[in-house]
Coordinates of all heavy atoms in Angstrom, one line a residue:
A1 N 7.1 3.7 -4.2 CA 5.7 3.5 -3.8 C 5.7 2.4 -2.8 O 4.9 2.4 -1.7 CB 4.8 3.1 -4.9
C2 N 6.5 1.4 -2.9 CA 6.6 0.2 -1.9 C 7.1 0.8 -0.6 O 6.6 0.4 0.5 CB 7.5 -0.9 -2.5 SG 7.7 -2.2 -1.3
K3 N 8.1 1.8 -0.6 CA 8.6 2.3 0.7 C 7.5 3.1 1.4 O 7.3 3.0 2.6 CB 9.8 3.0 0.4 CG 11.0 2.1 -0.1 CD 12.2 3.0 -0.5 CE 12.8 3.7 0.7 NZ 14.1 4.5 0.3
I4 N 6.8 3.9 0.6 CA 5.7 4.8 1.2 C 4.6 3.9 1.8 O 4.1 4.2 2.8 CB 5.1 5.6 0.1 CG1 6.3 6.6 -0.4 CG2 3.9 6.4 0.7 CD1 5.8 7.5 -1.6
E5 N 4.3 2.8 1.1 CA 3.2 1.9 1.6 C 3.7 1.2 3.0 O 2.9 1.1 3.9 CB 2.9 0.9 0.7 CG 1.8 -0.2 0.9 CD 1.5 -1.2 0.0 OE1 2.2 -1.2 -1.1 OE2 0.6 -2.0 0.2
D6 N 5.0 0.9 3.0 CA 5.5 0.1 4.2 C 5.6 1.2 5.4 O 5.2 0.8 6.5 CB 6.9 -0.3 3.9 CG 7.6 -1.0 5.1 OD1 7.1 -2.1 5.4 OD2 8.5 -0.3 5.8
I7 N 5.9 2.4 5.1 CA 5.9 3.6 6.2 C 4.5 3.7 6.7 O 4.3 3.9 7.8 CB 6.5 4.8 5.6 CG1 8.1 4.5 5.3 CG2 6.4 5.9 6.6 CD1 8.7 5.7 4.7
W8 N 3.5 3.7 5.7 CA 2.2 3.9 6.1 C 1.6 2.8 6.9 O 0.9 3.0 7.9 CB 1.3 4.2 4.9 CG -0.2 4.2 5.2 CD1 -1.1 3.3 4.9 CD2 -0.9 5.3 5.7 NE1 -2.4 3.6 5.4 CE2 -2.2 4.9 5.9 CE3 -0.5 6.6 6.2 CZ2 -3.2 5.7 6.4 CZ3 -1.4 7.3 6.7 CH2 -2.7 7.0 6.9
N9 N 2.0 1.6 6.5 CA 1.5 0.4 7.3 C 2.0 0.3 8.7 O 1.5 -0.1 9.7 CB 1.9 -0.9 6.6 CG 1.1 -1.0 5.3 OD1 0.1 -0.6 5.1 ND2 1.8 -1.7 4.3
N10 N 3.4 0.9 9.0 CA 3.9 0.7 10.2 C 3.7 2.1 11.0 O 3.6 2.0 12.3 CB 5.4 0.5 10.0 CG 5.8 -0.8 9.4 OD1 5.2 -1.9 10.0 ND2 6.5 -0.9 8.5
C11 N 3.7 3.3 10.4 CA 3.7 4.5 11.1 C 2.5 5.4 10.7 O 2.4 6.4 11.3 CB 5.1 5.3 10.9 SG 6.5 4.5 11.3
K12 N 1.7 5.0 9.8 CA 0.5 5.7 9.4 C 0.8 7.2 9.0 O 0.1 8.1 9.4 CB -0.5 5.7 10.6 CG -1.0 4.3 10.9 CD -1.6 3.6 9.8 CE -1.9 2.2 10.1 NZ -2.5 1.3 9.1
C13 N 1.9 7.4 8.3 CA 2.2 8.8 7.8 C 3.2 8.6 6.6 O 3.6 7.5 6.3 CB 2.9 9.6 8.9 SG 4.5 9.0 9.4
R14 N 3.4 9.7 6.0 CA 4.4 9.9 4.8 C 5.4 11.0 5.0 O 4.9 12.1 5.3 CB 3.6 10.0 3.5 CG 4.5 10.2 2.3 CD 3.7 10.4 1.1 NE 2.7 11.5 1.1 CZ 2.9 12.8 0.7 NH1 4.2 13.1 0.2 NH2 2.0 13.8 0.7
P15 N 6.6 10.6 4.9 CA 7.7 11.8 5.0 C 7.4 12.8 4.0 O 7.0 12.6 2.9 CB 9.0 11.0 4.9 CG 8.7 9.7 5.2 CD 7.3 9.3 4.8
F16 N 7.7 14.0 4.4 CA 7.4 15.2 3.5 C 8.1 15.2 2.2 O 7.6 15.8 1.2 CB 7.7 16.5 4.2 CG 9.1 16.8 4.3 CD1 9.7 17.7 3.2 CD2 9.9 16.3 5.4 CE1 11.0 18.0 3.3 CE2 11.2 16.7 5.3 CZ 11.8 17.5 4.4
F17 N 9.2 14.5 2.1 CA 10.2 14.6 0.9 C 9.8 13.5 -0.1 O 10.3 13.4 -1.2 CB 11.6 14.5 1.2 CG 11.9 13.3 2.2 CD1 12.0 12.1 1.8 CD2 12.1 13.6 3.5 CE1 12.4 11.0 2.6 CE2 12.4 12.6 4.3 CZ 12.6 11.3 4.0
Y18 N 8.8 12.6 0.3 CA 8.3 11.7 -0.7 C 7.1 12.2 -1.4 O 6.3 13.0 -0.8 CB 7.9 10.3 0.0 CG 9.1 9.5 0.4 CD1 9.0 8.6 1.5 CD2 10.3 9.6 -0.2 CE1 10.1 7.7 1.8 CE2 11.3 8.8 0.1 CZ 11.2 7.9 1.2 OH 12.3 7.1 1.5
L19 N 6.9 11.8 -2.7 CA 5.9 12.3 -3.5 C 4.5 11.5 -3.1 O 4.6 10.5 -2.5 CB 6.1 12.0 -4.9 CG 7.4 12.7 -5.5 CD1 7.6 12.2 -7.0 CD2 7.3 14.2 -5.4
Q20 N 3.4 12.2 -3.5 CA 2.1 11.6 -3.3 C 2.1 10.3 -4.2 O 2.4 10.4 -5.3 CB 1.0 12.5 -3.6 CG -0.4 12.0 -3.6 CD -0.9 11.8 -2.2 OE1 -0.3 12.3 -1.2 NE2 -1.9 11.0 -2.0
P21 N 1.6 9.1 -3.7 CA 1.6 7.9 -4.5 C 0.9 8.1 -5.9 O 1.5 7.8 -6.9 CB 0.9 6.9 -3.6 CG 1.1 7.4 -2.3 CD 1.3 8.9 -2.3
R22 N -0.3 8.8 -5.9 CA -1.0 8.9 -7.1 C -1.9 10.1 -6.9 O -2.5 10.2 -5.8 CB -1.8 7.8 -7.6 CG -0.9 6.7 -8.2 CD -1.9 5.7 -8.9 NE -1.1 4.4 -9.2 CZ -1.6 3.3 -9.5 NH1 -3.0 3.2 -9.8 NH2 -0.9 2.1 -9.7
P23 N -2.1 10.9 -7.9 CA -3.1 12.1 -7.8 C -4.4 11.6 -7.4 O -5.3 12.3 -6.8 CB -3.0 12.8 -9.1 CG -1.7 12.4 -9.6 CD -1.5 11.0 -9.1
T24 N -4.9 10.4 -7.9 CA -6.2 10.0 -7.7 C -6.5 9.4 -6.4 O -7.7 9.3 -5.8 CB -6.6 8.9 -8.7 OG1 -5.6 7.8 -8.6 CG2 -6.5 9.5 -10.2
E25 N -5.3 9.1 -5.5 CA -5.5 8.5 -4.2 C -5.7 9.6 -3.2 O -5.2 10.7 -3.4 CB -4.4 7.6 -4.0 CG -4.2 6.4 -4.9 CD -3.2 5.5 -4.5 OE1 -2.4 5.9 -3.5 OE2 -3.0 4.4 -5.0
P26 N -6.4 9.3 -2.1 CA -6.5 10.3 -1.0 C -5.1 10.7 -0.5 O -4.3 9.9 -0.4 CB -7.5 9.7 0.0 CG -7.3 8.3 -0.3 CD -7.0 8.0 -1.7
S27 N -5.0 11.9 0.1 CA -3.8 12.3 0.6 C -3.4 11.6 1.9 O -4.4 11.1 2.6 CB -3.9 13.8 1.0 OG -4.1 14.6 -0.2
I28 N -2.2 11.3 2.1 CA -1.7 10.6 3.3 C -1.1 11.6 4.2 O -0.4 12.6 3.9 CB -0.7 9.6 2.8 CG1 -1.2 8.6 1.8 CG2 -0.1 8.8 4.0 CD1 -0.3 7.5 1.4
K29 N -1.3 11.3 5.5 CA -0.9 12.3 6.5 C 0.7 12.4 6.5 O 1.4 11.4 6.4 CB -1.3 11.7 8.0 CG -0.7 12.4 9.1 CD -1.1 11.7 10.4 CE -0.4 12.4 11.6 NZ 1.0 12.1 11.7
I30 N 1.1 13.6 6.6 CA 2.5 13.9 6.5 C 3.1 13.6 8.0 O 2.6 14.1 9.0 CB 2.8 15.4 6.2 CG1 2.2 15.7 4.7 CG2 4.3 15.7 6.1 CD1 2.8 14.8 3.7
C31 N 4.3 13.0 8.0 CA 4.9 12.7 9.2 C 5.4 13.9 10.0 O 5.8 14.9 9.3 CB 6.1 11.7 9.0 SG 5.7 10.2 8.2
T32 N 5.4 13.9 11.2 CA 5.8 15.1 12.1 C 6.8 14.6 13.0 O 7.2 13.4 13.0 CB 4.5 15.7 12.8 OG1 4.0 14.7 13.6 CG2 3.5 16.2 11.9
T33 N 7.1 15.4 13.8 CA 8.2 15.0 14.9 C 7.7 14.0 15.9 O 8.5 13.2 16.4 CB 8.7 16.2 15.7 OG1 7.5 16.8 16.3 CG2 9.4 17.3 14.9
E34 N 6.5 13.9 16.0 CA 5.9 12.8 16.9 C 6.1 11.4 16.2 O 6.0 10.4 17.0 CB 4.4 13.1 17.1 CG 4.1 14.3 17.8 CD 2.6 14.6 18.0 OE1 1.8 13.7 17.3 OE2 2.2 15.6 18.6
D35 N 6.3 11.4 14.9 CA 6.4 10.0 14.3 C 7.9 9.6 14.1 O 8.1 8.6 13.6 CB 5.8 10.1 12.9 CG 4.3 10.4 12.9 OD1 3.6 9.8 13.6 OD2 3.9 11.4 12.3
L36 N 8.8 10.4 14.6 CA 10.2 10.2 14.4 C 10.6 8.9 15.1 O 11.4 8.0 14.6 CB 11.2 11.3 14.9 CG 11.1 12.6 14.2 CD1 11.9 13.6 14.8 CD2 11.7 12.2 12.8
P37 N 10.1 8.5 16.3 CA 10.6 7.1 16.9 C 10.1 6.0 16.1 O 10.9 5.1 15.9 CB 9.8 7.2 18.3 CG 9.6 8.7 18.6 CD 9.4 9.3 17.3
C38 N 8.9 6.0 15.4 CA 8.5 4.9 14.6 C 9.4 5.0 13.3 O 9.7 3.8 12.8 CB 7.0 5.1 14.3 SG 6.4 3.8 13.2
L39 N 9.7 6.0 12.8 CA 10.4 6.1 11.5 C 11.8 5.5 11.7 O 12.4 4.9 11.0 CB 10.5 7.5 11.0 CG 9.2 8.1 10.6 CD1 9.4 9.6 10.1 CD2 8.6 7.3 9.3

């Protein structure tokens, strides 16, 4: 969860292979090829 939060703070997305942080939280944008340089 800490890694997902750090990726979101820096790149505003979540890699597809990471789980959703919590079912109650809103969905986070999945990273695409446009986010690869930031990742």
